[in-house]
Amino acid sequence: MDIETLRHSTAHVLAAAVKNLYPKAKLGIGPNVEDGFYYDFGDLEIKEGDLEKIEKEMQALIKNNCKFARLKKTRKEAEKILKNEPFKLELLKELKDDEITFYESGDFIDLCKGPHINSMVEIKAFKLMKISGAYWKGNQNNEQLQRIYGTAFSSEKELDEFLKMKAEAENRSHIKLGKELGLFLFSPLVGPGLPLITPKGTIIREELQKFLREEQLKMGYLPVISPHIGRIDLYKKSGHYPYYKESMFEPMKCENVEYILKP
């Protein structure tokens, strides 16, 4: 059993648990990500403190040893199954195949191409990590959903080691240390993720820049400066735009020419 399949299957258990606890929640998507998985939900408002309750429901489902059954449905059958799941219906419309794949585990069924583990009981160690907001399909013009992040491993030992490593990394986080040492700060007036560097932080930044310039010159590199904004055609020609447009700012138009900030 590979770790990606295990984590994707755990995401399905998460979705099943949420639907049990919050029947009005609408299903989004639940893919693997680095170090874990997530699942997006519409019509769901929970807090970090609710994750423990969801974990307990997941554990109860796993104890029932539900099997993962792969089902093939016609498009009409799929539409009937997903009639109360608007996000899944939208994904269904994008599928070109007439035969649609679902996975069923106990009372829960989800639109998915798989693969999955054979049974929920194979999930030995998992942890729900945090919640966040997310736009449907990553588009800020779409509905905002609630995303639940989690992780899963083949053993409790691996999970414990991961959680320990993550805690140590958070203690060494530049965000935590930067605040404690007074190197930078953030202002809601400026915007999230946009640091205002203090005099102490500026000294460190300039020393690092000086060190890098000296090392680069030793290696024969010469400095150049390029603008932070360019014509959108540049990114289309390079091939970057289709892959990064969801995480870029909206294009801006000047004299009938579209410009866009660097990703």
Side-chain angles (χ1 to χ4, degrees):
M1 167 177 48
D2 64 87
I3 195 68
E4 288 80 13
T5 301
L6 175 68
R7 287 172 175 167
H8 183 49
S9 301
T10 311
H12 272 238
V13 179
L14 165 61
V18 168
K19 289 292 283 186
N20 284 351
L21 295 170
Y22 311 95
K24 293 182 180 180
K26 304 301 180 185
L27 299 174
I29 58 173
N32 295 321
V33 292
E34 185 179 4
D35 293 332
F37 59 87
Y38 69 77
Y39 210 109
D40 289 341
F41 300 92
D43 295 340
L44 179 67
E45 291 186 14
I46 61 170
K47 299 178 180 178
E48 296 282 347
D50 296 317
L51 294 182
E52 184 178 351
K53 178 171 67 173
I54 298 172
E55 281 185 354
K56 288 181 179 178
E57 182 65 20
M58 291 173 68
Q59 290 164 352
L61 290 171
I62 291 169
K63 286 181 181 178
N64 287 336
N65 194 16
C66 293
K67 308 290 183 183
F68 281 94
R70 187 171 184 265
L71 308 175
K72 289 188 176 181
K73 301 290 183 179
T74 64
R75 187 166 292 274
K76 284 187 177 181
E77 289 173 331
E79 288 173 351
K80 186 176 180 180
I81 292 170
L82 301 172
K83 63 182 179 180
N84 295 319
E85 297 290 349
F87 303 113
K88 294 292 186 180
L89 280 173
E90 186 175 331
L91 295 176
L92 178 63
K93 290 177 182 177
E94 296 171 1
L95 297 177
K96 296 179 180 179
D97 296 336
D98 290 328
E99 199 171 55
I100 311 300
T101 303
F102 285 81
Y103 272 84
E104 185 178 54
S105 49
D107 297 328
F108 181 71
I109 187 169
D110 198 3
L111 177 70
C112 183
K113 66 179 181 179
H116 282 287
I117 57 178
N118 294 322
S119 172
M120 288 187 184
V121 78
E122 296 177 37
I123 300 171
K124 304 297 184 184
F126 72 91
K127 178 72 175 174
L128 299 184
M129 307 298 294
K130 63 178 181 177
I131 58 175
S132 70
Y135 292 108
W136 172 237
K137 293 183 175 179
N139 188 330
Q140 64 180 1
N141 296 318
N142 290 338
E143 185 175 341
Q144 188 168 29
L145 310 179
Q146 195 160 43
R147 177 172 293 178
I148 302 178
Y149 284 96
T151 191
F153 289 88
S154 300
S155 68
E156 287 287 349
K157 181 182 177 182
E158 290 175 293
L159 176 61
D160 290 343
E161 288 174 351
F162 169 78
L163 295 175
K164 182 179 178 181
M165 180 182 68
K166 188 172 180 63
E168 290 176 353
E170 288 174 355
N171 286 331
R172 298 188 180 99
S173 165
H174 68 282
I175 297 175
K176 180 177 182 290
L177 293 177
K179 184 178 180 180
E180 290 175 354
L181 297 173
L183 304 181
F184 55 80
L185 52 89
F186 295 95
S187 167
L189 187 63
V190 178
L194 302 172
L196 302 171
I197 302 177
T198 65
K200 286 169 64 178
T202 300
I203 292 171
I204 294 175
R205 178 188 169 99
E206 289 181 345
E207 286 299 313
L208 287 170
Q209 288 177 324
K210 178 183 175 183
F211 169 75
L212 287 170
R213 280 195 297 268
E214 291 173 350
E215 292 300 309
Q216 289 164 350
L217 288 170
K218 289 178 187 176
M219 297 176 183
Y221 292 99
L222 296 175
V224 297
I225 298 174
S226 60
H228 294 295
I229 189 172
R231 294 178 64 156
I232 195 170
D233 295 338
L234 171 67
Y235 296 99
K236 290 180 178 179
K237 187 173 182 179
S238 70
H240 288 78
Y241 187 67
Y243 301 101
Y244 292 94
K245 64 180 180 179
E246 300 297 344
S247 59
M248 297 172 75
F249 286 102
E250 291 293 319
M252 57 197 82
K253 187 172 284 188
C254 180
E255 297 180 354
N256 293 321
V257 177
E258 281 193 305
Y259 293 87
I260 197 165
L261 287 169
K262 286 181 179 179

